[in-house]
């Protein structure tokens, strides 16, 4: 009797997202099914007010543990065939000539570089910088961080040979190869979007050279293969292809099926930060640089409107004012408060603000408080303020890249009230999804063409696009938007 041959293992691609609070790893089939996932946290360092740092060694420890979890979960069931990368944008991982980390990484929400932003704009006129790179100089971007290192830690800067973004550092650790891809590289502040190359003129004006940055590849390109050491540490196959991937917003867009081929469909993310993502076929910036223009991982472009504290504002309120009350209970209380929060308005600038203020010194505020107000009014005002800030950003974006539909993502997508407020503020239908794929899933999808699971990225996105639920009913935001605009104007101008 002839023995039955063993059934072939299901091929999967792995996706890594090196986030701010932890690393997430997923294993995804060609059809988009998640077979395994793992999350490992690591600490956030705040050595001074306004400074945020992390140790790259902590990222690697989290990556090692998360990949080991996936390897164990997939053993005998599925075969990893490629690994894609994603992560928090804009950070600076400084390396010496031997590839050793020189100091803790400066993160995307670090605000120490105000003087360096002024240096950049003094040497490169804002209009020219926006025309070349799609963005004005921003405190969170990597380029002013490099100048800060030169100004404040000259001994460290003297040893600097390579400036990497967090996910690209992880890729270097996994493969030994230095590489960057456009979606993350366009958040450095020195990538010429039209040419798809590091801008030697911008860098020259700042006495820097392009060789400080890694070579550029496509987001779907294989940058290298998993080393023997990492294979032994994780249980994954040695030689596993590692794909460049994308910055977290671009990768999350890939996971949601957002493409520059369908520029009318975007997303709203209610995560720690709030983000409006709008795909674009051509690199068309806001001339004043009030919203971000980045390369998309699909080869096109996208606009981003970013408010730095969306769910972060709710988490702050919860931790400071109601730590013993579940957030779900706070949301239920807020739902009982009429639109407009009884006249209470919240400006969510707890960490400064990006779009459209671009002001690292902006600070949050409650206005309109009286003895009649309680915790539920404050919570409602925080929810309304976060989506009013997104509407503020979308007001700039709409003239360049108008949207017809939004797909929801981020932790706030679990709240129908919050999504309804977002729909009312943005005057757009907001669709929840049956699954909530994130950047790690997008990284896995970006790895599928290289693994041979799909002929190209378009096919991979078509096969894995999540099912959409009907749009949430919009919630009236008229009074809240009017009050928000008045409070913002009073404190920070029009």
């Amino acid at each position: 009797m002839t023995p039955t041959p063993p059934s072939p293992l299901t091929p999967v691609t792995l996706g890594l997202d090196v986030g701010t609070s932890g690393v997430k790893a997923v294993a995804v089939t060609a059809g988009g099914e998640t077979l395994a996932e793992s999350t490992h946290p690591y600490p956030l360092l705040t050595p001074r007010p306004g400074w945020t740092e992390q140790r790259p060694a902590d990222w690697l420890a989290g990556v090692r543990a998360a990949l080991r979890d996936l390897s164990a979960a997939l053993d005998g069931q599925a075969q990893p065939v490629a690994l894609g990368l994603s992560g928090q944008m804009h950070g600076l991982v400084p390396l010496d000539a031997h590839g050793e980390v020189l100091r803790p990484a400066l993160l995307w929400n670090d605000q120490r570089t105000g003087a360096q932003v002024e240096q950049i704009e003094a040497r490169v006129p804002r209009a020219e910088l926006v025309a070349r790179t799609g963005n004005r100089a921003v405190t969170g971007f990597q380029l002013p961080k490099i100048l800060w290192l030169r100004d404040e830690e000259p001994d460290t800067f003297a040893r600097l040979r390579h400036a990497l973004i967090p996910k690209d550092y992880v890729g270097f650790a996994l493969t030994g190869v230095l590489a960057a891809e456009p979606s993350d590289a366009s958040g450095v502040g020195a990538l010429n979007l039209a040419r798809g190359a590091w801008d030697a003129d911008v860098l020259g004006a700042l006495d820097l050279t392009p060789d400080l940055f890694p070579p550029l590849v496509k987001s779907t390109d294989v940058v290298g293969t998993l080393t023997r050491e990492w294979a032994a540490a994780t249980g994954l196959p040695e030689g596993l292809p590692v794909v460049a991937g994308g910055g977290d917003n671009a990768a999350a867009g890939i996971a949601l099926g957002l493409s520059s081929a369908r520029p009318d469909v975007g997303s709203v993310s209610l995560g720690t930060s709030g983000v409006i993502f709008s795909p674009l076929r051509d690199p068309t910036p806001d001339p004043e640089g009030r919203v971000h223009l980045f390369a998309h991982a699909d080869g096109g472009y996208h606009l981003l409107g970013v408010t730095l504290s969306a769910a972060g504002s709710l988490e702050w309120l919860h931790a400071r004012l109601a730590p013993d009350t579940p957030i779900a209970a706070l949301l239920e209380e807020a739902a009982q408060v009429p639109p407009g929060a009884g006249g209470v308005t919240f400006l969510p600038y707890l960490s400064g603000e990006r779009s459209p203020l671009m002001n690292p010194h902006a600070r949050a505020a409650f206005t309109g408080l009286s003895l009649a107000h309680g915790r539920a009014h404050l919570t409602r005002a925080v929810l309304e303020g976060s989506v009013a800030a997104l509407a503020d950003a979308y007001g700039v974006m709409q003239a360049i890249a108008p949207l017809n539909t939004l797909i929801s993502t981020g932790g706030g997508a679990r709240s129908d009230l919050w999504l309804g407020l977002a729909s009312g503020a943005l005057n757009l239908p907001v669709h929840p999804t049956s699954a909530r794929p994130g950047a790690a899933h997008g990284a896995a999808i970006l790895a599928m063409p290289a693994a041979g699971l799909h002929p190209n990225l378009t096919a991979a996105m078509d096969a894995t696009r999540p099912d959409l639920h009907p749009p949430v009913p919009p919630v009236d935001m008229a009074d809240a938007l009017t009050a928000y605009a008045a409070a913002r104007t009073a404190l920070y101008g029009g």
Side-chain angles (χ1 to χ4, degrees):
M1 184 175 179
T2 304
T4 303
S7 58
L9 298 179
T10 302
V12 293
T13 54
L14 309 183
L16 272 178
D17 176 31
V18 185
T20 311
S21 58
V23 61
K24 182 171 185 176
V26 297
V28 181
T29 69
E33 181 185 1
T34 302
L35 294 190
E37 59 183 81
S38 178
T39 301
H40 282 266
Y42 33 68
L44 176 69
L45 310 178
T46 54
R48 296 187 191 179
W51 291 23
T52 56
E53 301 180 353
Q54 282 177 329
R55 291 180 290 261
D58 292 339
W59 299 338
L60 298 186
V63 167
R64 190 176 297 109
L67 291 179
R68 196 163 52 234
D69 289 347
L70 291 194
S71 178
L74 298 173
D75 188 30
Q77 301 182 51
Q79 177 64 39
V81 290
L83 167 64
L85 302 173
S86 182
Q88 51 178 296
M89 295 177 67
H90 310 309
L92 170 63
V93 186
L95 304 183
D96 67 12
H98 305 290
E100 298 297 323
V101 176
L102 292 169
R103 71 171 323 280
L106 284 66
L107 303 190
W108 60 275
N109 52 357
D110 189 285
Q111 299 287 357
R112 76 185 71 180
T113 59
Q116 287 70 37
V117 165
E118 292 178 4
Q119 284 182 38
I120 294 172
E121 295 204 334
R123 297 194 186 190
V124 184
R126 179 182 296 176
E128 182 179 353
L129 188 65
V130 170
R132 287 173 175 269
T133 70
N135 297 279
R136 61 194 285 181
V138 178
T139 51
F141 281 17
Q142 190 192 78
L143 184 60
K145 292 177 170 67
I146 295 171
L147 300 185
W148 180 90
L149 199 67
R150 183 169 68 188
D151 293 342
E152 302 297 331
E153 297 182 359
D155 291 344
T156 303
F157 180 81
R159 299 168 57 202
L160 178 69
R161 294 296 179 272
H162 306 288
L164 299 190
I165 296 165
K167 80 152 181 0
D168 297 336
Y169 171 72
V170 170
F172 170 64
L174 295 176
T175 66
V177 178
L178 293 165
E181 52 73 44
S183 71
D184 232 352
S186 55
V188 166
L191 185 76
N192 188 299
L193 281 179
R195 297 206 311 265
W198 300 114
D199 197 308
D201 293 333
V202 168
L203 293 170
L206 301 170
D207 300 318
L208 299 172
T209 57
D211 60 7
L212 189 60
F213 304 97
L216 290 161
V217 300
K218 294 179 181 178
S219 298
T220 51
D221 282 352
V222 174
V223 297
T225 58
L226 196 67
T227 66
R228 178 178 302 174
E229 293 77 12
W230 273 92
T234 61
L236 295 173
E238 181 182 351
L240 182 73
V242 177
V243 172
D248 54 3
N249 284 303
I254 294 294
L256 292 173
L258 304 181
S259 167
S260 53
R262 295 196 310 159
D264 61 327
V265 180
S267 68
V268 55
S269 173
L270 297 172
T272 301
S273 59
V275 178
I276 301 286
F277 182 106
S278 183
L280 275 173
R281 289 191 175 94
D282 301 308
T284 311
D286 168 48
E288 298 177 48
R290 293 169 294 175
V291 294
H292 300 308
L293 172 63
F294 297 132
H296 191 14
D298 72 346
Y301 305 89
H302 64 88
L303 289 178
L304 278 187
V306 180
T307 180
L308 290 177
S309 298
S313 292
L314 182 61
E315 290 162 1
W316 167 82
L317 181 81
H318 176 247
R320 297 296 189 272
L321 300 183
D324 299 324
T325 303
I327 286 181
L330 294 178
L331 293 172
E332 289 175 9
E333 292 176 2
Q336 305 309 311
V337 176
V344 180
T345 298
F346 179 66
L347 301 180
Y349 312 148
L350 292 166
S351 301
E353 188 55 307
R354 290 270 187 96
S355 313
L357 296 184
M358 294 296 176
N359 183 351
H361 306 296
R363 289 295 175 261
F366 283 104
T367 66
L369 284 170
S370 76
L371 292 173
H373 297 120
R375 184 173 74 184
H377 295 90
L378 297 180
T379 305
R380 178 87 184 205
V382 164
L383 301 180
E384 291 180 346
S386 64
V387 296
L390 288 174
D392 221 10
Y394 183 61
V396 176
M397 301 167 66
Q398 191 172 14
I400 304 167
L403 295 167
N404 293 330
T405 301
L406 287 170
I407 303 172
S408 67
T409 184
R414 298 183 182 92
S415 168
D416 285 347
L417 170 62
W418 213 346
L419 292 184
L421 291 168
S423 179
L426 297 162
N427 196 28
L428 288 168
V430 176
H431 293 263
T433 59
S434 51
R436 294 190 181 91
H441 296 82
I445 294 166
L446 286 164
M448 289 180 181
L453 298 189
H454 292 287
N456 52 51
L457 181 58
T458 299
M461 292 171 67
D462 287 343
T464 57
R465 185 175 284 114
D467 295 328
L468 302 185
H469 292 312
V472 295
V475 178
D476 178 29
M477 277 286 295
D479 290 345
L481 289 174
T482 299
Y484 180 93
R488 184 213 59 213
T489 301
L491 289 176
Y492 296 107

